[in-house]
Amino acid sequence: DESEGEVEGWVQAKRKALEEAKDVLDDVGEDFRTLKAVQARLSVWKQRYPKSYKEAYVDMSLPRLLAPYVRLETLGWEPLEDGQTVEGMEWVKVLFEAEADGDDSDLIPNLVQQVLCPKIKVTLSTSWDPASSGSTGRAVGLLNDVLIYILDAAPDAAKALCNEVVTALSVELDRHSPALALLAGGDSPSRAAQSAGRASFLQCCKIVRNAAAFREVVSPLALQTLTMEAATRERLLPFLQAVRAQAPSDAAVLTKLLLDSFPDEWHHLPALQPFLSFRKALLGDR
């Protein structure tokens, strides 16, 4: 992890970059200084000289032509922190008005794919905390917001974002594997190792619950495979079995926490049955 000094240095560098970005188009003529001005000139060209406009293949070039303006506007955008929706961005408002006048209806989705999606993908892998319900709620909202624009127009980009969610969840689960394995391995771990294993188990329960929060956005099958196979069957169930051997009452409490982390509609799925069978046997011990 970065030190406090490194974080402060990064914040200052970012602040400086944002300040300098405000002046990047100062020496550009007014007709080309803003996306709105460029779009206005293009609309006039299209209306007055449609043949020339068509022969120049302007519509095909618009995403590349306007992308720098969108990048400049969204340079300081923090997708999980700002609460800024795509619809509320100034460049979207400008181009939406142009669409109403009959301009390219694919332009906004193309720019979302080209400019916003790469930034959102990085945000999901570096800034989203899969164990935090607040951060996850914002991530779900962000994904819902952007998929409206790209699900049909750019399905590959939509799939890449959804895959990034699953990858980030998997990476976070991997972080807790060593602590869980200490107890599940059958050795006699120290009290500190037992505490670390319990803490990791609780974090994994949060990750499972937060993974399920994406089930209306990301492939439910991918989420179920991750939470029921990779998380529960391979890591959490062996941990619970080890806890049961030492303290059945603790195992019962932890088992209930894990069960409650899954949506009710997932309880009947075959992949969860080994865990449910364990829970049934555990209840029979009491």
Side-chain angles (χ1 to χ4, degrees):
D1 292 341
E2 297 87 351
S3 67
E4 185 175 337
E6 290 173 328
V7 172
E8 179 61 27
W10 180 86
V11 170
Q12 291 180 3
K14 179 182 177 181
R15 186 181 299 119
K16 181 180 179 182
L18 292 176
E19 286 297 322
E20 292 176 347
K22 295 178 181 178
D23 305 325
V24 73
L25 294 178
D26 278 358
D27 59 349
V28 177
E30 289 187 6
D31 288 346
F32 302 97
R33 191 173 297 170
T34 67
L35 182 144
K36 186 172 185 178
V38 172
Q39 181 61 38
R41 287 184 64 87
L42 292 173
S43 293
V44 170
W45 182 9
K46 186 173 185 178
Q47 292 170 6
R48 294 183 179 178
Y49 311 103
K51 183 178 179 180
S52 169
Y53 184 94
K54 183 176 181 180
E55 290 175 347
Y57 297 99
V58 177
D59 282 341
M60 293 179 59
S61 305
L62 280 177
R64 295 184 64 183
L65 176 64
L66 300 181
Y69 296 94
V70 178
R71 287 195 179 93
L72 189 59
E73 180 184 329
T74 58
L75 190 61
W77 179 49
E78 296 290 349
L80 292 182
E81 303 299 331
D82 293 349
Q84 171 73 73
T85 63
V86 176
E87 184 180 13
M89 293 180 178
E90 185 60 30
W91 70 270
V92 175
K93 296 178 183 178
V94 170
L95 296 181
F96 185 76
E97 291 178 2
E99 283 184 9
D101 294 332
D103 286 353
D104 184 9
S105 61
D106 291 330
L107 182 55
I108 294 176
N110 285 337
L111 286 167
V112 168
Q113 175 192 4
Q114 183 176 334
V115 181
L116 299 191
C117 284
K119 188 164 189 173
I120 293 171
K121 187 176 180 180
V122 171
T123 295
L124 290 171
S125 65
T126 61
S127 300
W128 167 45
D129 179 2
S132 165
S133 58
S135 184
T136 295
R138 292 189 292 273
V140 172
L142 173 65
L143 212 55
N144 269 314
D145 184 30
V146 74
L147 288 180
I148 293 174
Y149 295 90
I150 64 171
L151 195 57
D152 293 328
D156 288 343
K159 183 178 180 180
L161 290 182
C162 292
N163 287 343
E164 192 61 45
V165 169
V166 178
T167 298
L169 288 163
S170 180
V171 168
E172 190 67 15
L173 285 169
D174 288 342
R175 292 181 59 245
H176 298 285
S177 292
L180 294 170
L182 281 176
L183 191 61
D187 298 328
S188 298
S190 65
R191 186 177 298 273
Q194 293 179 38
S195 296
R198 181 185 177 89
S200 284
F201 182 91
L202 295 177
Q203 286 296 101
C204 287
C205 287
K206 293 179 181 179
I207 296 168
V208 168
R209 182 177 63 247
N210 290 335
F214 285 95
R215 62 189 183 278
E216 301 296 332
V217 187
V218 178
S219 163
L221 180 59
L223 296 172
Q224 290 160 5
T225 300
L226 178 69
T227 57
M228 297 180 187
E229 297 287 346
T232 301
R233 184 177 62 82
E234 297 178 9
R235 300 165 183 173
L236 301 179
L237 185 53
F239 177 83
L240 288 171
Q241 290 167 338
V243 173
R244 177 190 182 188
Q246 299 180 11
S249 60
D250 287 349
V253 172
L254 295 177
T255 299
K256 179 66 163 56
L257 287 173
L258 179 55
L259 180 64
D260 290 344
S261 300
F262 288 101
D264 291 343
E265 63 266 28
W266 288 8
H267 288 185
H268 71 283
L269 296 174
L272 199 59
Q273 297 315 302
F275 167 69
L276 295 178
S277 296
F278 168 81
R279 180 172 182 266
K280 184 177 180 181
L282 184 62
L283 293 176
D285 292 343
R286 302 174 69 182

